[in-house]
Every structure is written in C-alpha cells, then in structure tokens.
Amino acid sequence: MALSKSVVSPPQLENRIWDPAETMPRDQLRALQIHRLRETVAHAMRVPFYQQAFQKTGITPGAIRTLEDLRRLPFTVKNDLREHYPLGLLAVPRTQIARIHGSTGTTGKPTFVAYTYKDLQTWADLCARFLVAGGLRPEHTVHIAFGYGLFTGGFGLHYGVERVGAAIVPASAGNTSRQIDLIRDLEANVLVGTPSYSLYLADVCQQRGIDPRELPLEYAHFGGEPWTEDMRVEIERELNLAAFNNYGLSEVIGPGVSGECFVRDGMHIQEDHFIVECLDPDTLEPVPEGERGELVITALTKEAMPMIRYRTRDIASLNSAPCPCGRTTIKMSRITGRTDDMFIIRGVNVFPSQIEEALLRVEGTTPHYQIEINRPNALDEVTVRVEIRPQDFSDMMAKMQALKQRIAREIQQVAGIRANVELVDPHTLERFAGKAKRVLDNREKASG
Ligand code: ADP
Ligand code: ZN
C-alpha cells in the first residue's frame, strides 16, 4: 500500500543563508577549491603517511593545477587511521591540538581525530550554516540530545548552535523521560539528535500520556545515521515539526559536511571546505551524476589532521542542478547505506534503509524494527521484526496474517528478497539513544 499516512504541513519554511560563501559563483568556487587543494597537499606533506603516499604516486603540490588532478592523489581508508593509532596522522605539533574526538566505532576499533583551535572555529561555522539553512534563528532554544563526549555529534552541533546565537539545553543522551520534561519546561523549539531517537522520544511521551505533538518543538536537525523520506513523514506526523537532515563524519570533521536547505531535496555540500567525489566502490571510477556510489571526501581546510580522498563507505548520489535557495553548491542525496552495512541475501545486495522504506509503506507499522539474518541450512534466511501501532494491533489472526503478507510483499518489491515477517507488540524492540543498530547477522558466528 502506498503512503496514506497524513503528511503534516511543517512550519512555513524560510530561506536563510548564514555565509555568503554558500552562494559563491561556481567558477570562483572552483578556483578556491584548486587553491585550497594545493595548500592541503603541501600541508599534508608534514604527515609521514601522506609524504610516503605522495612519493609513490610522484605528486607534488605544484602539480595540482586543475580539479582533475585530485584523481592522482592516493586514497585514505579507515584502516590507515587504525594503523596510525592513536594520533599518527597529525600535521601540526601535538601542542597545537585543541580537542580530540573519537569515532563511535560503529564498525570496529575506534579511531581518534584531532582539531586545532582554528579547526574548531571552522567546524562551528560549518554547523551554523546548515542549522540556519534549516530554520534555526538566534531566538530559538535548542535541545541537544546527542551524547556529549568523544562522539562528534554533541559538541559539533553545540558550538554550531552557539555560533548562531540560539540558547542551548545540552541534555546529552539518556533519561528520555527527563528529556521530555526539559523540552516542555524549557520550551525548546528545536531538537538535535538522531532521527531514531526522536521517535523513541515520541514513544515515551505516549507512554506517559503526553501527546508528542503538543511539545513546543518546531524544527529538528537530524544526523548520525541513515533514515528515509518515509521516516521523515512519520517523525513530522508524530512530533509536529519540520525535520532536516545533515551529514558528516568524524574523519573529515564531524557534522557539517552537508545539510539540507528549506527545499529539503538533498544536502548542500559545503564545497569551499570539502571536495566530494562519488565513485564506484569496485572500480573507483566516478559514477555518472545522479547514480549512487561511494562518497570520497577531501577536506580542504583542516589543520590538525588533513584528510585526502577519504573513502567514507557511505553510499549516495550527487546532484548539481541549481537549487531555488540560491546556494551554488552541489547536493548529495540521503545516505542509502554504507558499503559495510549492506548485507547480501542469496546474492542480492540489501541495505537496511530499503527494509525501512518497505515497512513504512504499510499502514499500521512503526519505524521500530529489527532485521535478523541466519543461515540454517546453508541458505540465508531473513526475519524482519516490526512493532505494530497500538491502535492497529488486533486479536484477529486473519487480520494480522494479512498485514504480514502485505509487509512481505513490500519487502520483496523494494529490496528484492523474501523475508519472514514477525509482528511484535508495541514497545518491545530495543530503543537506541545514539545510533540505531538494526541488523543482527548471525551467519558469521554460526560458520566461524
Ligand atoms: P562511525 O559511526 O563510523 O564510528 P561517526 O560517528 O563519525 O563514525 O559517524 C559518521 C557516519 O554516520 C557516517 O559515515 C555515516 O555513515 C553516518 N551518518 C552521519 N550522518 C548521516 C546522515 N545524515 N544520514 C545517514 N548517515 C549518516
Ligand atoms: Zn538549496
């Protein structure tokens, strides 16, 4: 069944631009990128890892004349950070470091990233840009539900909001019931966190008999994990706010790489600070515009830890069509998955976001789900567990059976796989204060 859930009309979305650099003419932007790329390569020479890598390919800063020359530079992968654990990729003396963050370690051993004071200023500005693009104004009060700690989300957004001049409630992660009180009592208009956490918040509201739509929230800025357009509809319906997407990763700075404007059709890449390539993850050749590929990011202004052609493993597409907001930067689509969270079921590549999309097409489901993969008889078997909305839960076997079949059909259509569907009671699946972990792949454990 197609989306029949009502779409709320969010607050009148305004077009605001924080920094004139966001609307720079393209030729000027390109010239700036080349200039900064050359400087970045020269700066990266201070890092033995890059010095050796450049020597191998015979590249020197002077050889960078056009943006095409970027393709002659070596890639950087997560493992390079691990091999130089903890801070082997510094390009400045240790004494110039102003802060250290760590990646959350979604995919293995954590890694650290470092910032100079100037890097922190740049970062705050980049976050301010996307926050303002998404409606943040100095008179707002912002509830930050990202964990404050090594993870870049909390502090990154914190200083971005501060730069804009809005009030901050640094709630951090956990104790959701208290967070609801804070939002209500301190009249927060803006929520910052992961998209999945906002739904959890709505859930806890309902358990306490509070209508989440009555909370004073008007805007939300979400990032840190993949979500779908259908999930946006769901969140906006549940919480009666306008939700914006922003993207970033600790290796290249943290949040602030890109974010949505009021058009909400793709995230503007902050191209004066980052060059983003979209490559076929196997051939490492650029994919045609509009097609999905792995994002590879070069940071153009980082001092402490230059990052050249970082393979993000995030899958998205690029779009250079002019945007009505007046920004001249290209946009990236939502992240549809990571090359490393993709799972293969009997040869079919599947991303969790596809399962989510299928689930949310069916009336009565919630975005609380879990995907379990087993291989009982040398054949992959997928079980999708999804919570049913309380009002749709029925004692009638036939009704529940029909619902299951509809969900299975949608999964087959969107993801191209057959899945066992289990409907579970509301509020029974695990909730996540940080990034959601939805896939339980038991295949390796069984065979290893
Ligand atoms: P990790 O999760 O790899 O330990 P980070 O905490 O730096 O490291 O998280 C960055 C990752 O989070 C990105 O590479 C991407 O996979 C994911 N991410 C961040 N923002 C978004 C977003 N808006 N949509 C989808 N995924 C996102
Ligand atoms: Zn725009």
Side-chain angles (χ1 to χ4, degrees):
M1 198 197 305
L3 258 187
S4 58
K5 296 170 181 174
S6 68
V7 181
V8 285
S9 51
Q12 203 54 45
L13 299 182
E14 295 172 84
N15 187 21
R16 285 167 173 267
I17 291 172
W18 173 253
D19 188 335
E22 297 172 72
T23 59
M24 201 185 289
R26 290 286 317 167
D27 51 348
Q28 219 174 304
L29 180 59
R30 252 190 304 274
L32 180 65
Q33 285 186 318
I34 295 168
H35 171 73
R36 288 186 164 170
L37 181 60
R38 208 178 293 133
E39 283 187 338
T40 296
V41 171
H43 183 58
M45 291 287 212
R46 303 202 173 105
V47 185
F49 164 75
Y50 280 120
Q51 198 181 41
Q52 281 161 21
F54 294 158
Q55 262 162 10
K56 254 188 231 154
T57 50
I59 194 104
T60 58
I64 307 278
R65 292 179 196 285
T66 69
L67 284 179
E68 281 297 292
D69 292 323
L70 175 68
R71 300 199 46 209
R72 298 166 55 196
L73 296 175
F75 291 103
T76 310
V77 296
K78 183 89 171 180
N79 209 36
D80 294 325
L81 276 94
R82 293 206 178 105
E83 277 177 9
H84 296 85
Y85 183 90
L87 290 168
L89 299 182
L90 289 188
V92 298
R94 181 67 197 254
T95 49
Q96 281 182 31
I97 297 305
R99 198 179 318 148
I100 295 167
H101 277 285
S103 95
T104 43
T106 313
T107 56
K109 187 178 170 190
T111 50
F112 293 113
V113 291
Y115 302 75
T116 62
Y117 182 72
K118 185 162 166 250
D119 288 335
L120 293 176
Q121 299 302 310
T122 307
W123 189 19
D125 265 321
L126 292 171
C127 290
R129 288 187 191 177
F130 76 70
L131 286 163
V132 167
L136 182 67
R137 294 194 300 273
E139 59 268 31
H140 282 148
T141 297
V142 185
H143 181 97
I144 300 184
F146 270 137
Y148 277 66
L150 284 174
F151 171 59
T152 50
F155 281 100
L157 269 293
H158 180 97
Y159 287 103
V161 174
E162 190 171 276
R163 182 60 54 93
V164 176
I168 299 169
V169 181
S172 196
N175 201 346
T176 304
S177 195
R178 170 124 195 282
Q179 301 226 15
I180 293 165
D181 294 337
L182 289 173
I183 291 171
R184 272 212 303 198
D185 299 348
L186 302 177
E187 295 175 20
N189 336 74
V190 182
L191 174 67
V192 164
T194 56
S196 55
Y197 187 65
S198 74
L199 285 172
Y200 181 42
L201 204 88
D203 237 46
V204 176
C205 272
Q206 252 136 15
Q207 284 167 29
R208 286 180 50 188
I210 300 168
D211 179 358
R213 297 177 55 89
E214 299 296 317
L215 293 177
L217 298 171
E218 293 166 37
Y219 293 95
H221 298 275
F222 294 129
E225 66 183 9
W227 52 313
T228 57
E229 206 49 45
D230 290 338
M231 185 146 161
R232 166 147 49 200
V233 172
E234 182 83 19
I235 291 170
E236 295 193 338
R237 195 176 57 89
E238 294 252 322
L239 286 149
N240 190 26
L241 46 71
F244 287 79
N245 194 8
N246 69 79
Y247 166 81
L249 63 165
S250 45
E251 291 81 359
V252 302
I253 198 152
V257 173
S258 67
E260 284 180 328
C261 64
F262 79 106
V263 178
R264 303 199 297 171
D265 177 26
M267 295 180 274
H268 283 282
I269 295 170
Q270 317 236 38
E271 287 183 280
D272 50 338
H273 293 270
F274 307 100
I275 300 179
V276 177
E277 302 169 83
C278 187
L279 307 182
D280 179 316
D282 297 322
T283 65
L284 296 175
E285 291 295 317
V287 301
E289 184 174 318
E291 276 180 30
R292 294 198 294 178
E294 177 181 347
L295 301 181
V296 172
I297 306 183
T298 302
L300 296 174
T301 50
K302 265 176 75 188
E303 284 188 339
M305 251 176 94
M307 201 42 69
I308 290 175
R309 302 194 85 195
Y310 183 71
R311 292 193 58 181
T312 63
R313 297 174 293 184
D314 290 326
I315 303 288
S317 62
L318 300 181
N319 173 6
S320 67
C323 185
C325 74
R327 286 178 183 78
T328 48
T329 45
I330 59 169
K331 294 194 280 193
M332 55 183 263
S333 68
R334 285 178 175 286
I335 303 292
T336 52
R338 273 160 76 122
T339 51
D340 47 18
D341 77 5
M342 183 188 80
F343 49 93
I344 301 178
I345 301 299
R346 303 187 189 185
V348 180
N349 297 353
V350 183
F351 288 101
S353 61
Q354 291 177 298
I355 303 292
E356 181 177 312
E357 190 185 325
L359 288 175
L360 291 179
R361 283 184 183 189
V362 180
E363 182 79 19
T365 60
T366 68
H368 302 295
Y369 63 95
Q370 185 183 61
I371 303 164
E372 188 178 323
I373 310 168
N374 290 298
R375 185 176 278 166
N377 302 309
L379 269 184
D380 301 330
E381 247 181 48
V382 181
T383 303
V384 175
R385 290 188 192 93
V386 59
E387 287 183 14
I388 296 304
R389 290 199 308 220
Q391 66 268 35
D392 290 294
F393 215 83
S394 165
D395 291 337
M396 282 172 55
M397 281 288 280
K399 226 170 160 182
M400 292 289 96
Q401 198 54 33
L403 188 56
K404 270 202 224 180
Q405 280 167 0
R406 267 210 311 281
I407 294 173
R409 262 206 310 278
E410 288 294 342
I411 292 176
Q412 170 92 52
Q413 211 169 58
V414 178
I417 56 162
R418 237 178 248 285
N420 308 318
V421 176
E422 286 178 13
L423 306 179
V424 302
D425 289 333
H427 315 299
T428 46
L429 294 178
E430 189 184 347
R431 297 294 194 265
F432 304 91
K435 294 172 189 244
K437 183 166 171 20
R438 306 200 191 272
V439 184
L440 295 174
D441 195 338
N442 300 323
R443 290 177 295 186
E444 274 157 35
K445 274 179 254 157
S447 62

